[in-house]
Amino acid sequence: MALLNRQQQQTYIQQPQPKVPERPVQQPTPRPSKRILSKGERVLLVAMVTIIALLSVMNLNTQSAINTTSVEIQNIENKIDETKKQNAELSIEVSELSTYERIWNKAKELGLKLNEKNVKVVSGQ
């Protein structure tokens, strides 16, 4: 039985197959290269990226300069505040040292006497 099946398969395979008419061979047409960007577009793209990069660097430089100036301003304002405090303390010290009693006591220590003939009265404003 196996032999019979094998013979049938061989006869099936050996049968001539109908000829398919051949298609004419077409010459492959040269396709234009499918580039995404042309040369001009590439140049424009590179120029645009360069300009954006330069503007970004300039922006960072400006922000850095602003930050540095802000720090300097803050330091100067701190110095101004310290100077104002010192001026206020010195004003208080001047007012304490210029009291009439203190001046009179200093004058007595130095041996000065009050001579009413030499005293001139100035009217206040």
Side-chain angles (χ1 to χ4, degrees):
M1 186 79 150
L3 185 59
L4 184 61
N5 281 339
R6 186 175 265 179
Q7 286 176 354
Q8 286 177 356
Q9 283 180 354
Q10 286 178 355
T11 57
Y12 177 73
I13 293 174
Q14 290 177 357
Q15 292 177 356
Q17 295 186 1
K19 288 188 175 183
V20 178
E22 291 185 22
R23 294 184 185 169
V25 178
Q26 293 180 352
Q27 300 256 339
T29 57
R31 294 184 184 176
S33 60
K34 291 186 177 180
R35 292 186 180 171
I36 296 174
L37 300 173
S38 67
K39 275 189 176 182
E41 289 173 336
R42 283 189 210 154
V43 169
L44 288 176
L45 181 65
V46 169
M48 196 164 115
V49 168
T50 304
I51 290 171
I52 289 172
L54 287 175
L55 289 176
S56 298
V57 169
M58 289 173 54
N59 188 20
L60 289 174
N61 188 26
T62 304
Q63 291 297 326
S64 174
I66 289 171
N67 190 25
T68 303
T69 306
S70 296
V71 168
E72 290 175 2
I73 289 172
Q74 193 172 20
N75 288 339
I76 291 172
E77 286 177 349
N78 289 340
K79 288 180 182 178
I80 290 172
D81 289 340
E82 290 176 15
T83 305
K84 284 182 181 179
K85 287 178 185 177
Q86 288 176 351
N87 286 344
E89 290 173 1
L90 291 174
S91 296
I92 291 171
E93 188 176 345
V94 165
S95 65
E96 288 175 355
L97 294 176
S98 64
T99 59
Y100 179 76
E101 292 83 22
R102 183 180 175 285
I103 294 174
W104 183 246
N105 289 336
K106 257 321 187 179
K108 282 185 182 177
E109 286 177 14
L110 295 173
L112 298 174
K113 295 181 183 176
L114 181 62
N115 186 355
E116 292 189 23
K117 293 179 185 174
N118 286 338
V119 176
K120 293 183 181 179
V121 178
V122 180
S123 62
Q125 293 180 4

